[in-house]
Amino acid sequence: MAHHNNLGKSGEYIAKEYLASKGYAIRDVNWRSGKYELDIVAMDGLQLVVVEVKTRSTDEYGYPEDFIKPAKIRNIINAAECYLQKLQHPLEVRFDVISIILNHEESDDYIIEHIKDAFMADIQNSRSYEF
């Protein structure tokens, strides 16, 4: 597996453990449906939380969350709509980002930032979003 894939998987594992330690109930990791993927889907009380995880080995070129572009946000929103359709009951949805800078040589050496409500979406109209 390529280095960047290992880095991403390590970041997702750290993010999942972090959320669980904060009391989130993890529903799915790397949920897929067709071309859509959600990194982590969790429950925070009665709220469904869709979490995009961005991991980098350095912040030399910018923070990990800086690499989430509008097209990626649209894909996350579309994937969340698909996820909600499969649930068949309405839930309030929140979109979070977990940003991780991970020294890959030392897996316990990382900086994590949890950005709640990283962007907002009108889930009924996936073309409308704010960030």
Side-chain angles (χ1 to χ4, degrees), residues 6-71:
N6 285 334
L7 187 67
K9 292 294 177 199
S10 296
E12 287 173 353
Y13 176 80
I14 290 167
K16 180 183 74 151
E17 294 299 309
Y18 168 84
L19 289 169
S21 77
K22 299 293 183 189
Y24 288 70
I26 307 300
R27 292 182 56 100
D28 286 292
V29 177
N30 296 121
W31 178 85
R32 292 180 185 272
S33 178
K35 65 180 181 177
Y36 297 124
E37 179 188 3
L38 298 173
D39 290 342
I40 299 174
V41 181
M43 294 298 296
D44 183 14
L46 297 175
Q47 190 173 49
L48 187 75
V49 183
V50 174
V51 182
E52 176 67 11
V53 180
K54 281 296 186 194
T55 308
R56 295 287 185 266
S57 58
T58 178
D59 63 358
E60 185 175 343
Y61 301 106
Y63 295 104
E65 64 271 19
D66 295 339
F67 295 91
I68 303 173
K69 304 298 182 196

Side-chain angles (χ1 to χ4, degrees), residues 91-106:
L91 287 172
E92 182 181 337
V93 180
R94 186 178 84 214
F95 295 93
D96 291 2
V97 170
I98 292 188
S99 167
I100 300 171
I101 299 172
L102 174 64
N103 178 346
H104 206 61
E105 277 86 46
E106 298 179 39

